[in-house]
């Protein structure tokens, strides 16, 4: 028996569920399928279990893409305020953590329940534990051979994400579909991901595992002012995750450990007032004590201030403001929050998310070569691209 729908959405994540509800409210008969046993797994784990569901300050400048203008249309038509109104309609309590970053007060489940409720109200069916074995183009649409039988549809929406966090079921399925129907797929790599370090530096920083401090980090003409976290594997925290999306193997990253301090002037003053103290005592005023001590050991700063010449202070200030680290690599897709690269947006309509050469085929969310900064931007892209496709699928 062949089941027929107007729209089939492959992927029961943020973008897919948003698209399904939007299409359902237009009176379309919609089916969402997913090979997982539960919907929205990445939603549930996001934001430490509280889901950073949007960023009030989200603009196209917060996204990376080989075709940067593509995202403008969808983001302009469905804004953070639009999603916030939906959140408020469902009575979900939320709070602003860092500037513009909105989180659920209670649990990420609130956002998933919102999406599932919207799908239910819109008449969109969600079917789990359903894998797609084959997709074929047929007259006026598509036919899918799945583990739950043969399905046909007029519009097919690919919303199955990228390669990040394979333990959540991530695969390259969406890229395979794109290639099958003649779309280009740009090279992919892990984004918003912790760095690993070469053995010597890793060993030197190992005692600092769990220590966090605010930094400015620079790489390839980009910089972020966020906390850095030292882990037993390397460097993480928001600053490192942000800059990882701009880093390439072999690049150095430059870290300003005292971004809000006029370092040389303060060192000079400290030498006057406390000549017998050591550099570590100075650093303990600004950095966690464990970090200050370990960093002084790393740099072999072990003499009292009274023996430091101005040139010495300048050299110390320079290291504190421009500490250069060459990461060994990243932790890869297993811990990456997003996948950089993906389906080339030049092959799609920025208004509808549909393939230019393949009527009725849509791609939304992370499977596309559109990747947001940390802080709720990737969810905003999921909502905006999902609505754009749902209005036309």
């Amino acid at each position: 028996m062949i089941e027929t729908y107007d729209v089939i959405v492959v992927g029961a994540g943020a973008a897919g569920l948003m698209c399904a509800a939007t299409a359902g409210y237009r009176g379309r008969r919609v089916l969402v399928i997913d090979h997982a046993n539960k919907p929205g797994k990445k939603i549930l784990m996001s934001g430490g279990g509280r889901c950073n569901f949007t960023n009030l300050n989200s603009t196209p400048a917060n996204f990376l893409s080989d075709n940067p203008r593509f995202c403008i249309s969808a983001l302009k038509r469905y804004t953070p305020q639009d999603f916030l109104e939906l959140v408020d309609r469902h009575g979900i309590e939320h709070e602003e953590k860092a500037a513009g970053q909105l989180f659920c007060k209670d649990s990420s489940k609130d956002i998933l329940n919102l999406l599932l409720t919207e799908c239910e109200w819109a008449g969109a069916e969600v079917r789990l534990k359903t894998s797609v074995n084959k997709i074929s183009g047929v007259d006026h649409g598509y036919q899918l051979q799945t583990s739950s039988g043969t399905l046909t549809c007029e519009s097919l929406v690919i919303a199955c994400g990228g390669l990040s966090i394979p333990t959540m079921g991530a695969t390259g399925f969406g890229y395979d579909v794109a290639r099958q129907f003649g779309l280009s797929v740009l090279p992919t790599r892990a984004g918003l991901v912790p760095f690993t370090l070469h053995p010597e530096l890793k060993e030197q920083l190992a005692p600092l595992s769990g220590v966090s401090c605010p930094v400015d980090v620079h790489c390839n003409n980009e910089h972020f002012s966020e906390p850095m976290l030292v882990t037993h594997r390397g460097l993480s925290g928001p600053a490192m995750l942000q800059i990882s999306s701009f880093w390439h193997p072999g690049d150095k990253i430059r870290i300003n450990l005292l971004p809000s301090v006029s370092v040389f002037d303060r060192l000079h003053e400290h030498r006057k007032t406390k000549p017998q103290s050591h550099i570590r005592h100075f650093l303990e005023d600004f950095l966690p004590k464990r970090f200050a001590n370990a960093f002084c050991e790393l740099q072999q700063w072990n003499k009292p201030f009274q023996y430091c010449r101005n040139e010495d202070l300048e050299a110390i200030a320079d290291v504190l403001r421009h500490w250069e680290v060459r990461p060994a690599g990243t932790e890869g897709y297993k811990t990456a929050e997003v996948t950089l690269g993906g389906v080339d947006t030049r092959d799609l309509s920025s208004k509808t998310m549909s393939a230019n050469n393949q009527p009725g085929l849509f791609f939304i969310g992370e499977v596309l070569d559109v990747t947001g900064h940390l802080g709720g931007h990737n969810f905003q892209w999921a909502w905006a691209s999902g609505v754009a496709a749902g209005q036309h699928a």
Side-chain angles (χ1 to χ4, degrees), residues 38-340:
K38 292 178 183 174
K41 285 187 173 184
K42 282 183 79 172
I43 296 172
L44 293 176
M45 68 167 288
S46 66
R50 289 176 55 205
C51 191
N52 180 190
F53 57 80
T54 193
N55 191 307
L56 295 174
N57 304 318
S58 195
T59 73
N62 295 112
F63 293 85
L64 292 78
S65 176
D66 200 49
N67 180 23
R69 295 190 60 80
F70 177 83
C71 66
I72 295 173
S73 174
L75 291 169
K76 186 181 284 189
R77 285 179 290 127
Y78 194 85
T79 67
Q81 198 60 44
D82 290 324
F83 191 74
L84 182 56
E85 286 172 11
L86 182 61
V87 166
D88 288 338
R89 281 206 302 277
H90 282 257
I92 295 172
E93 289 193 53
H94 53 83
E95 59 186 351
E96 188 173 349
K97 280 193 169 182
Q101 297 180 20
L102 298 188
F103 287 76
C104 298
K105 266 197 173 173
D106 296 325
S107 165
S108 303
K109 288 179 184 174
D110 292 339
I111 297 298
L112 179 57
N113 289 337
L114 175 158
L115 294 167
L116 294 173
T117 300
E118 286 290 319
C119 283
E120 183 183 342
W121 289 347
E125 180 188 343
V126 179
R127 187 180 300 175
L128 303 172
K129 300 180 186 174
T130 302
S131 54
V132 180
N133 303 319
K134 185 181 178 184
I135 299 176
S136 308
V138 295
D139 288 344
H140 311 299
Y142 298 87
Q143 182 169 286
L144 288 70
Q145 303 296 337
T146 78
S147 57
S148 70
T150 301
L151 309 170
T152 65
C153 59
E154 182 183 325
S155 296
L156 176 62
V157 183
I158 303 300
C160 49
L163 297 168
S164 52
I165 318 186
T167 54
M168 291 281 168
T171 71
F173 176 80
Y175 308 135
D176 294 339
V177 175
R179 292 188 189 99
Q180 177 187 339
F181 289 100
L183 283 75
S184 298
V185 177
L186 299 175
T188 59
R189 58 192 176 91
L192 300 181
V193 62
F195 288 113
T196 58
L197 299 174
H198 292 288
E200 186 180 358
L201 183 57
K202 180 181 170 183
E203 188 177 329
Q204 290 166 327
L205 296 182
L208 298 181
S209 181
V211 173
S212 176
C213 54
V215 301
D216 275 357
V217 61
H218 298 252
C219 184
N220 290 324
N221 300 316
E222 294 289 340
H223 86 279
F224 294 93
S225 300
E226 301 260 16
M228 172 183 76
L229 173 69
V230 183
T231 73
H232 62 281
R233 291 186 295 269
L235 298 176
S236 186
M240 298 299 118
L241 298 187
Q242 293 277 40
I243 208 68
S244 71
S245 294
F246 299 89
W247 175 87
H248 294 91
D251 288 344
K252 288 180 181 177
I253 57 173
R254 196 173 78 247
I255 302 168
N256 183 347
L257 290 167
L258 301 179
S260 57
V261 179
S262 178
V263 184
F264 177 76
D265 293 343
R266 296 295 289 268
L267 285 167
H268 199 267
E269 184 185 323
H270 199 96
R271 184 178 61 184
K272 274 187 191 173
T273 57
K274 299 176 181 176
Q276 293 180 321
S277 66
H278 286 68
I279 304 296
R280 70 175 183 275
H281 299 127
F282 167 81
L283 288 181
E284 284 171 7
D285 288 342
F286 306 101
L287 296 167
K289 186 173 182 178
R290 273 203 294 154
F291 191 96
N293 290 336
F295 197 76
C296 285
E297 280 186 37
L298 178 65
Q299 302 297 332
Q300 298 182 332
W301 292 337
N302 48 29
K303 59 185 178 183
F305 268 93
Q306 62 190 346
Y307 299 117
C308 293
R309 300 165 300 165
N310 280 353
E311 305 93 274
D312 297 326
L313 297 186
E314 284 174 0
I316 290 167
D318 191 59
V319 171
L320 291 169
R321 287 184 292 114
H322 306 103
W323 179 36
E324 288 193 339
V325 175
R326 195 188 300 276
T330 72
E331 292 186 6
Y333 292 120
K334 66 179 179 180
T335 58
E337 297 205 9
V338 292
T339 304
L340 293 155

